[in-house]
Amino acid sequence: MNRFSVLKKPVTVLFLLLLLSSVVLSVITYRIVVLGGRIASQPVASGMPTPTPGVMPTPLPTHTTLPAQSPDKVLGVEGNVGVNYTGISWVRLAYPTCGWSNLSGTRLQNTIERYHEAGIRVLLTVCQGPDHTSSLYNTATLKDAAQGNADAVQCGNEEMKQDASVSFLYIPPDQFAKFYDLCTQAVHAVHANTPVLLGSLDPHVGGVDYQPLVDQVNYLDQMQTAMNTSVHPDGTWSWHTQTLGLIDSWHNGYPDASVNSLKGLFDFWARQFNVDANSGKLGQHLWVVEGTGCFKGCGLNTNNASQVASAHVLTLITDVQTAMKDKVPFFYFSGEDFHDQGVNWPIGILNSNGHPKPLLQNLPMGSRSLNLSCPTGPVTVVNQLQLLAQMYQHCTLPGNYYKLLS
């Protein structure tokens, strides 16, 4: 009996069909679970292309390049792929070196292209990575990130942070100088005029934490020395000509409107760059990559949902007003609530399922509303995404907003 006669037997044919079906099902399951990642799990709203779960998009032959914008037009949110933040024209995305993203290679390029097709610009954060001791100077990784065609790139994240619980973040200034130099070269080899941010400053309270801010200046001075000795001997590089990423995490605007850490940080760094904080020039040296409210470890009662809700939305308002007044690029953090280290972080403008949150997140939707005066006419907002988007469109809040939200 030869192998062809065996294949003709009905039982054999049935067995082979079952085997083939099992293999195909296994492959599909693998692609959905392993390759789908965060993209497949994200809710998708209208206006952004819907990604097919687990399927790598076909490479695009060309890139859509949006015109550069002045700093006062850079107003965005920490985004998640597949979530549409209606009315917001910038999103901040992460490269895999930040620990969770799957945006690299063709996936990164196609993702940013689709944002560009929708008229949305992207700030891409390239972290030094938790395993930076072995991969900090990986030029292939930096080149891949640069080829994503982002509209701005942040090279490094909280590289100055001195915290034992996240000790992997800290990079000695001489090592970070070399990393930043390689990252900048990679980005500018693709697009010479793409803004490159010099990492991000570990958050401190402006107007209060003076010495920690001076320590950050000392770090930058040491980085500058390394850049002009070991990285580029006899160089003339100065951090004063760069653009710093700024993180502010404080309950600005709460418990009274005079609380404003962000303004204190603007004043401090304006002095370092020798510019008037009110001149509109600070945005050439500083981007707020994370503006958010503190809800734990800063005097608030984390078990008081009403207090946390008021502090959250008033911080959003105060931060946006402060950044727009001084014409400093601003990204609200976060787009969605999230869980980290066993703690729920209720600091998104959407909940953890990607659904809109009411203005006061401890109350039902519609229990509070604000009637805004906008350039195009009056607008009523009932959720936080609407509020953020309309403020970015230069809408003015009613005079009683503080009473309504506190």
Side-chain angles (χ1 to χ4, degrees), residues 1-13 16:
M1 183 182 293
N2 59 38
R3 63 180 180 275
F4 295 104
S5 62
V6 171
L7 291 175
K8 291 179 182 179
K9 288 181 177 292
V11 174
T12 304
V13 173
L16 290 176

Side-chain angles (χ1 to χ4, degrees), residues 269-284:
W269 289 105
R271 291 193 294 271
Q272 310 311 311
F273 288 110
N274 195 29
V275 299
D276 182 351
N278 301 311
S279 66
K281 296 181 180 180
L282 186 57
Q284 300 172 11

Side-chain angles (χ1 to χ4, degrees), residues 47-94:
M48 281 293 292
T50 304
T52 302
V55 177
M56 187 73 73
T58 302
L60 298 168
T62 59
H63 290 296
T64 300
T65 301
L66 300 178
Q69 288 188 323
S70 58
D72 62 303
K73 299 291 193 300
V74 181
L75 299 166
V77 66
E78 180 83 11
N80 290 314
V81 175
V83 179
N84 183 15
Y85 301 95
T86 304
I88 297 178
S89 60
W90 276 80
V91 294
R92 181 186 182 220
L93 302 177

